């Protein structure tokens, strides 16, 4: 039996500038089911295997409460750590466990009903068509445009703000703030100010909806009656802030990486365009191959946890590396690095998590991608990358798998 703290293998430094994501993923896979990593000077363990992650994501001894983290208890990690906003975003269903998590999540499940999601379909369709018009209008004389800035980014932000009842006039401010929040180039004092500003925005929204409820997610969370005590103002704010932050970023990555996969494998794109392979298969393979979340921060061991002879020590932090898991050759075969929509269905990935904390917005993200992708290729069937796909660069965001830009040629 090996104790996590006794392992002397040098930590893999997770690059905050994300300059070689494929190389980093390979290093993590080769390190084994558990890899020692360095997160901006803070040590943690990451899980790189599908089967191990599936087991640990349902283990009640791994919790989301930062109070269980030994480095937080000792003061070695403070609010000055650049990733603290990802680990300690405030009280919400994302940061509590057990009965309290069930109470907060039940309220959200009541709010994000299949009926409410289906009511968003025409909103997604209308916004998609509008943004495709914008893409055509903003292209230069060669038909070159940035798929991310004009299409993939504003779509999920517009949809999630509609869902929550956030005024459309506030969307540019939201996009600016979330960009600063996620970027590791943002000075920490500025990031803390961004977090405070987001708290103010959502607190004001919750108070407005408390006084004047409407048919939106914020009002539904405030008014939810089943599943225990009503949510406090802090809990509603925490849920909304986490959902809009994670929700729009997840869908940006899903759309862009789906397009990246199809443009990189033209034979597969042809199979989709002629109807041999459905669009939902494209979405699931993209989620496996290049998931929107690279590394999910963080869970903490409340006691020593033995996993097949490997011990995670009490108080240690554990990260789930979804990109490495999606390319686990034990789970997906020796060609796990390849985008392949002909894999046997269903593709059993965990891009949206697993267990009690599985992403509550997964259905919305799939809905958006399922509308946006066929609409994009119907409007622009000859779409091509404007530069080699290997030259696309990730944003300096350690947790989200997002591109700086995605230049495309609309007419080949």
């Amino acid at each position: 039996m090996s104790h996590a703290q006794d392992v002397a293998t040098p930590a893999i430094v997770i690059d905050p500038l994300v300059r070689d994501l494929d190389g980093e993923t390979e290093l993590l896979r080769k390190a084994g089911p558990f890899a020692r990593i360095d997160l901006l000077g803070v040590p943690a363990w990451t899980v790189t295997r599908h089967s191990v992650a599936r087991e640990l994501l349902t283990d009640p001894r791994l919790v989301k409460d930062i109070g269980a983290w030994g480095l937080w208890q000792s003061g070695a990690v403070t609010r000055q750590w650049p990733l603290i906003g990802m680990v300690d975003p405030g009280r919400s269903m994302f940061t509590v466990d057990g009965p309290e998590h069930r109470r907060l999540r039940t309220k959200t499940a009541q709010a994000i009903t299949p009926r409410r999601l289906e009511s968003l379909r025409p909103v997604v369709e209308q916004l998609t068509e509008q943004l495709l018009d914008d893409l055509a209008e903003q292209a230069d004389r060669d038909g070159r445009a940035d798929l991310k800035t004009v299409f993939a980014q504003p779509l999920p932000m517009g949809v999630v703000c509609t869902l929550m009842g956030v005024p459309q006039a506030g969307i540019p401010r939201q996009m600016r703030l979330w960009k600063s929040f996620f970027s590791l180039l943002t000075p920490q004092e500025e990031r803390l100010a961004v977090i405070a500003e987001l708290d103010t925005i959502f607190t004001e929204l919750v108070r407005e909806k408390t006084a004047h409820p409407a048919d939106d997610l914020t009002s539904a969370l405030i008014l939810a009656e089943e599943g225990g005590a009503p949510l406090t103002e802090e809990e509603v704010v925490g849920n909304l802030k986490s959902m809009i932050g994670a929700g729009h970023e997840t869908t940006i990555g899903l759309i862009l990486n789906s397009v990246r996969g199809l443009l990189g494998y033209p034979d597969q794109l042809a199979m989709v365009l002629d109807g041999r392979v459905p669009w939902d298969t494209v979405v699931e393979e993209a989620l496996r191959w290049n998931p929107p979340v690279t590394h999910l921060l963080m869970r903490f061991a409340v006691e020593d946890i033995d996993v097949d002879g490997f011990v995670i020590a009490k108080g240690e932090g554990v990260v789930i590396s979804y990109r490495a898991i999606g390319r686990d050759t034990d789970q997906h075969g020796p060609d796990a690095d390849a985008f392949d929509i002909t894999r046997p269905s269903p593709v059993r990935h965990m891009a949206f998590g697993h267990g009690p904390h599985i992403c509550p917005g997964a259905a919305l993200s799939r809905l958006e991608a399922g509308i946006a992708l066929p609409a994009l290729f119907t409007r622009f069937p000859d779409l091509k990358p404007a530069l080699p796909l290997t030259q696309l660069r990730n944003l300096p965001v350690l947790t989200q798998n997002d591109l700086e830009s995605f230049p495309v040629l609309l007419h080949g």
Side-chain angles (χ1 to χ4, degrees), residues 159-166 202 205 209 216-219 239-245:
V159 171
V160 76
C161 285
T162 299
L163 173 66
M164 293 181 175
V166 175
F202 284 104
L205 176 67
K209 297 297 182 180
D216 54 52
L217 178 62
T218 304
S219 302
N239 274 8
L240 293 178
K241 186 173 66 172
S242 296
M243 289 174 66
I244 195 169

Coordinates of all heavy atoms in Angstrom, one line a residue, residues 159-166 202 205 209 216-219 239-245:
V159 N -28.6 32.6 -24.1 CA -29.6 31.6 -23.7 C -29.7 31.5 -22.2 O -30.8 31.5 -21.6 CB -29.3 30.2 -24.3 CG1 -30.2 29.1 -23.7 CG2 -29.4 30.2 -25.8
V160 N -28.6 31.4 -21.5 CA -28.6 31.2 -20.1 C -29.1 32.5 -19.4 O -29.8 32.4 -18.4 CB -27.2 30.8 -19.6 CG1 -26.2 32.0 -19.5 CG2 -27.3 30.2 -18.2
C161 N -28.8 33.7 -20.0 CA -29.4 34.9 -19.4 C -30.9 34.9 -19.6 O -31.6 35.4 -18.7 CB -28.7 36.1 -20.0 SG -27.0 36.4 -19.4
T162 N -31.4 34.5 -20.7 CA -32.8 34.4 -20.9 C -33.5 33.4 -19.9 O -34.5 33.7 -19.3 CB -33.1 33.9 -22.3 OG1 -32.6 34.8 -23.3 CG2 -34.6 33.7 -22.6
L163 N -32.8 32.3 -19.7 CA -33.3 31.3 -18.7 C -33.4 31.9 -17.3 O -34.4 31.6 -16.6 CB -32.4 30.1 -18.7 CG -32.6 29.0 -17.7 CD1 -33.9 28.3 -17.9 CD2 -31.4 28.0 -17.7
M164 N -32.4 32.7 -17.0 CA -32.4 33.2 -15.6 C -33.1 34.5 -15.4 O -33.3 34.9 -14.3 CB -30.9 33.4 -15.2 CG -30.1 32.1 -15.1 SD -28.4 32.5 -14.5 CE -27.8 30.8 -14.3
G165 N -33.5 35.1 -16.5 CA -34.2 36.4 -16.4 C -33.2 37.6 -16.2 O -33.6 38.6 -15.7
V166 N -32.0 37.4 -16.7 CA -31.0 38.4 -16.7 C -31.3 39.4 -17.8 O -31.4 38.9 -19.0 CB -29.6 37.9 -16.8 CG1 -28.6 39.1 -16.9 CG2 -29.2 37.0 -15.6
F202 N -25.8 39.6 -9.0 CA -26.8 38.5 -8.7 C -27.6 38.8 -7.5 O -28.8 38.4 -7.4 CB -26.1 37.2 -8.7 CG -25.7 36.7 -10.1 CD1 -24.4 36.8 -10.5 CD2 -26.7 36.2 -11.0 CE1 -24.0 36.4 -11.8 CE2 -26.3 35.8 -12.3 CZ -25.0 35.9 -12.7
L205 N -30.3 41.1 -8.6 CA -31.2 40.3 -9.5 C -32.2 39.5 -8.6 O -33.4 39.5 -8.8 CB -30.5 39.4 -10.4 CG -31.4 38.5 -11.3 CD1 -32.2 39.3 -12.3 CD2 -30.5 37.4 -12.0
K209 N -36.2 39.9 -8.3 CA -37.1 38.8 -8.6 C -38.0 38.4 -7.4 O -39.1 37.9 -7.5 CB -36.4 37.6 -9.2 CG -35.6 37.9 -10.5 CD -36.6 38.2 -11.6 CE -35.9 38.4 -12.9 NZ -36.8 38.7 -14.0
D216 N -39.0 32.8 -14.9 CA -37.6 32.5 -15.2 C -37.0 31.7 -14.1 O -37.6 31.4 -13.1 CB -36.8 33.9 -15.4 CG -37.0 34.8 -14.2 OD1 -36.8 34.4 -13.0 OD2 -37.4 36.0 -14.4
L217 N -35.7 31.3 -14.3 CA -35.1 30.4 -13.3 C -34.9 31.0 -12.0 O -35.0 30.4 -10.9 CB -33.8 29.9 -13.9 CG -32.9 29.0 -13.0 CD1 -33.7 27.7 -12.7 CD2 -31.6 28.7 -13.7
T218 N -34.5 32.3 -12.0 CA -34.2 32.9 -10.7 C -35.5 33.0 -9.8 O -35.5 32.6 -8.7 CB -33.8 34.4 -11.0 OG1 -32.6 34.4 -11.8 CG2 -33.4 35.1 -9.7
S219 N -36.6 33.3 -10.4 CA -37.9 33.4 -9.7 C -38.3 31.9 -9.2 O -38.7 31.8 -8.1 CB -39.0 33.9 -10.6 OG -38.7 35.3 -11.0
N239 N -26.1 29.6 -6.5 CA -26.5 28.7 -7.6 C -26.5 29.4 -9.0 O -26.0 28.9 -9.9 CB -27.9 28.1 -7.3 CG -27.9 26.9 -6.4 OD1 -26.8 26.5 -5.9 ND2 -29.0 26.3 -6.3
L240 N -27.0 30.6 -9.0 CA -27.1 31.3 -10.3 C -25.7 31.7 -10.8 O -25.4 31.5 -12.0 CB -28.0 32.6 -10.1 CG -29.5 32.3 -9.8 CD1 -30.2 33.6 -9.6 CD2 -30.1 31.5 -11.0
K241 N -24.9 32.2 -9.9 CA -23.6 32.6 -10.3 C -22.8 31.4 -10.9 O -22.1 31.5 -11.9 CB -22.8 33.2 -9.1 CG -21.5 33.8 -9.4 CD -20.9 34.5 -8.2 CE -20.6 33.6 -7.1 NZ -19.8 34.2 -6.0
S242 N -22.8 30.3 -10.2 CA -22.1 29.1 -10.7 C -22.7 28.6 -12.0 O -21.9 28.2 -12.9 CB -22.2 28.0 -9.6 OG -21.5 28.4 -8.4
M243 N -24.0 28.6 -12.1 CA -24.6 28.1 -13.3 C -24.4 28.9 -14.5 O -24.1 28.4 -15.6 CB -26.1 27.9 -13.1 CG -26.5 26.8 -12.1 SD -28.2 26.7 -11.7 CE -28.9 26.3 -13.3
I244 N -24.4 30.2 -14.4 CA -24.1 31.1 -15.5 C -22.6 31.0 -15.9 O -22.3 31.0 -17.1 CB -24.6 32.5 -15.3 CG1 -24.7 33.3 -16.7 CG2 -23.7 33.3 -14.4 CD1 -25.3 34.6 -16.6
G245 N -21.8 31.0 -14.9 CA -20.3 30.9 -15.2 C -20.0 29.6 -15.9 O -19.3 29.6 -17.0

